[in-house]
Amino acid sequence: MEFGRVPEHELPTVDFTLPPDTDFTLQTLSEAGKVRPFEVHVGCAKWGRKEWVGQIYPPKTKDANFLDEYVKHFNCIELNATFYQVYGPDTIGKWKEKATANPDFKFCPKFSQSISHIRRLKNAEDITTSFYEGITAFGEKLGPLFLQLSDNFTPKSLPELTAYLEHLPTDIPVYVELRHKNWFAEPDTRDAVFNLFKRLHIGAVITDATGRRDCVHMMLPTPNAFIRFVGNGLHPTDYARCDEWIDRIAEWRDKGLQTVWFFMHQHDERYSPQLSDYVIEKLNARLGLSIKRPQFIETKKGLFD
């Protein structure tokens, strides 16, 4: 992921401190009450990474078997493949079958770019229907969906966003990722869109990227967190940032948070399993969880070792 990337020499100048909780989020969590069991899912964006062969995939693993290996290490995947192509039930069913080895595994499909970026949510009923017909073949392996809006999708398109979200099926959780800066620049605009999400029980993606601190909005319209963390190749700041997220997740859990979806991104994805392992280890220790950690074939070495 290139979103929010800055040159390496600028990393020490970035204030990575997470913003304080908003009153909006505190109210959402207080209304949720205590729900058990508390669910946490940690995963990556893609399974088709050749760099992971010899790292977490056995040597000589073929591309066709990458998913078979991925599900052994993580309990979810942020499924970006569905952004580039609308897949039918047959293909989705084959992916589901590969994931049966992990009873806790969930697929979290990204809405097709044909819907979000090409048609920009207008006249997209037919593609949306095809998209849902495909992903529902995941059955019990289906996690939430997420709709990423483009960098040039501005608040002027709030009416189109409202109309689109109001007509989505309500039986599958949906999260929305906002990227244009104007969604966060004006309080009235921010409040309008997040109140829309809350009214419709739509979640909000929090994207933690170095060069776009405004996207770390800390607004939870539902008592569920969907975090897209963008690291910088195992730079020391990656670990400090993850530590702060673990602290915040623990605080949110105590206030009423129900689920967490934490997806790891790196500008060089070869390092995603390593930082994911760090997050899982720390979450297990802090929250008393037993999320399975990825198993490495070789000794882990970071870019800055």
Side-chain angles (χ1 to χ4, degrees), residues 45 47 77-83 95 107-110 138 146:
W47 65 71
I77 187 163
E78 183 196 278
L79 189 57
N80 277 292
T82 53
F83 179 72
W95 291 346
F107 294 88
C108 302
K110 186 176 183 178
F138 279 127
F146 81 102

Side-chain angles (χ1 to χ4, degrees), residues 260-278:
V260 176
W261 301 88
F262 194 103
F263 291 104
M264 184 62 65
H265 293 259
Q266 292 279 327
H267 299 303
D268 185 341
E269 293 291 359
R270 80 179 76 177
Y271 301 110
S272 290
Q274 298 183 32
L275 199 57
S276 296
D277 180 47
Y278 179 83

Side-chain angles (χ1 to χ4, degrees), residues 9 12 20 26 42 55 67 72 83 92 102 111 129 132 143 156 165 167 174 201 216 227 231 275 284 297:
H9 69 272
L26 293 175
V42 180
Q55 183 184 165
L67 177 56
K72 298 176 182 178
F83 179 72
I92 298 295
N102 184 342
F111 276 75
T129 297
Y132 271 83
K156 293 181 180 179
L165 294 180
H167 288 87
V174 173
H201 306 288
V216 194
I227 301 158
L275 199 57
N284 284 344
I297 297 171

Side-chain angles (χ1 to χ4, degrees), residues 43-78:
C44 302
K46 302 177 180 178
W47 65 71
R49 305 302 310 191
K50 294 182 183 294
E51 311 97 303
W52 298 350
V53 175
Q55 183 184 165
I56 59 173
Y57 299 167
K60 300 182 180 181
T61 299
K62 297 180 179 179
D63 293 12
N65 300 120
F66 282 173
L67 177 56
D68 304 77
E69 297 300 326
Y70 179 91
V71 301
K72 298 176 182 178
H73 301 281
F74 299 100
N75 64 5
C76 64
I77 187 163
E78 183 196 278

Side-chain angles (χ1 to χ4, degrees), residues 93-148:
K94 292 176 182 177
W95 291 346
K96 174 188 176 183
E97 185 65 25
K98 288 176 175 286
T100 55
N102 184 342
D104 299 323
F105 192 85
K106 301 290 184 182
F107 294 88
C108 302
K110 186 176 183 178
F111 276 75
S112 168
Q113 63 180 344
S114 298
I115 297 168
S116 57
H117 288 56
I118 298 175
R119 297 198 182 181
R120 300 174 66 83
L121 308 185
K122 294 185 291 186
N123 301 314
E125 295 85 0
D126 54 341
I127 303 177
T128 301
T129 297
S130 298
F131 173 77
Y132 271 83
E133 287 175 346
I135 57 97
T136 51
F138 279 127
E140 74 281 1
K141 292 297 184 185
L142 180 62
L145 318 180
F146 81 102
L147 173 66
Q148 180 190 88

Side-chain angles (χ1 to χ4, degrees), residues 3-297:
F3 183 71
R5 186 169 193 170
V6 302
E8 182 184 326
H9 69 272
E10 293 184 10
L11 294 179
T13 70
V14 178
D15 182 3
F16 286 109
T17 305
L18 292 179
D21 289 339
T22 61
D23 291 340
F24 180 87
T25 289
L26 293 175
Q27 181 178 354
T28 296
L29 296 177
S30 68
E31 292 169 350
K34 300 292 184 181
V35 175
R36 294 293 183 270
F38 176 62
E39 295 185 10
V40 178
H41 309 263
V42 180
C44 302
K46 302 177 180 178
W47 65 71
R49 305 302 310 191
K50 294 182 183 294
E51 311 97 303
W52 298 350
V53 175
Q55 183 184 165
I56 59 173
Y57 299 167
K60 300 182 180 181
T61 299
K62 297 180 179 179
D63 293 12
N65 300 120
F66 282 173
L67 177 56
D68 304 77
E69 297 300 326
Y70 179 91
V71 301
K72 298 176 182 178
H73 301 281
F74 299 100
N75 64 5
C76 64
I77 187 163
E78 183 196 278
L79 189 57
N80 277 292
T82 53
F83 179 72
Y84 300 102
Q85 180 178 338
V86 175
Y87 291 92
D90 289 346
T91 297
I92 298 295
K94 292 176 182 177
W95 291 346
K96 174 188 176 183
E97 185 65 25
K98 288 176 175 286
T100 55
N102 184 342
D104 299 323
F105 192 85
K106 301 290 184 182
F107 294 88
C108 302
K110 186 176 183 178
F111 276 75
S112 168
Q113 63 180 344
S114 298
I115 297 168
S116 57
H117 288 56
I118 298 175
R119 297 198 182 181
R120 300 174 66 83
L121 308 185
K122 294 185 291 186
N123 301 314
E125 295 85 0
D126 54 341
I127 303 177
T128 301
T129 297
S130 298
F131 173 77
Y132 271 83
E133 287 175 346
I135 57 97
T136 51
F138 279 127
E140 74 281 1
K141 292 297 184 185
L142 180 62
L145 318 180
F146 81 102
L147 173 66
Q148 180 190 88
L149 301 177
S150 71
D151 298 17
N152 58 19
F153 191 95
T154 75
K156 293 181 180 179
S157 295
L158 180 59
E160 288 82 359
L161 176 60
T162 301
Y164 185 77
L165 294 180
E166 285 180 337
H167 288 87
L168 287 180
T170 58
D171 56 336
I172 303 173
V174 173
Y175 293 78
V176 176
E177 181 184 15
L178 303 168
R179 288 193 163 191
H180 194 279
K181 293 181 179 181
N182 287 354
W183 290 109
F184 313 107
E186 296 293 334
D188 289 347
T189 299
R190 183 198 63 186
D191 292 347
V193 70
F194 284 102
N195 280 319
L196 168 68
F197 295 161
K198 189 167 188 175
R199 175 172 67 85
L200 298 177
H201 306 288
I202 299 287
V205 175
I206 298 175
T207 304
D208 187 339
T210 304
R212 285 296 307 274
R213 306 313 296 162
D214 55 336
C215 292
V216 194
H217 51 73
M218 309 308 277
M219 298 279 281
L220 296 181
T222 70
N224 309 285
F226 192 117
I227 301 158
R228 304 184 82 209
F229 183 94
V230 187
N232 295 294
L234 304 186
H235 188 272
T237 55
D238 285 358
Y239 296 95
R241 291 165 62 197
C242 288
D243 288 343
E244 191 171 358
W245 265 116
I246 290 161
D247 289 341
R248 187 62 60 92
I249 289 169
E251 294 172 8
W252 283 350
R253 181 196 63 171
D254 293 341
K255 293 174 181 176
L257 191 70
Q258 297 176 2
T259 60
V260 176
W261 301 88
F262 194 103
F263 291 104
M264 184 62 65
H265 293 259
Q266 292 279 327
H267 299 303
D268 185 341
E269 293 291 359
R270 80 179 76 177
Y271 301 110
S272 290
Q274 298 183 32
L275 199 57
S276 296
D277 180 47
Y278 179 83
V279 169
I280 293 171
E281 179 184 18
K282 296 296 183 179
L283 283 171
N284 284 344
R286 179 67 182 275
L287 300 176
L289 304 174
S290 56
I291 305 170
K292 184 179 178 181
R293 294 171 58 184
Q295 301 298 305
F296 292 84
I297 297 171

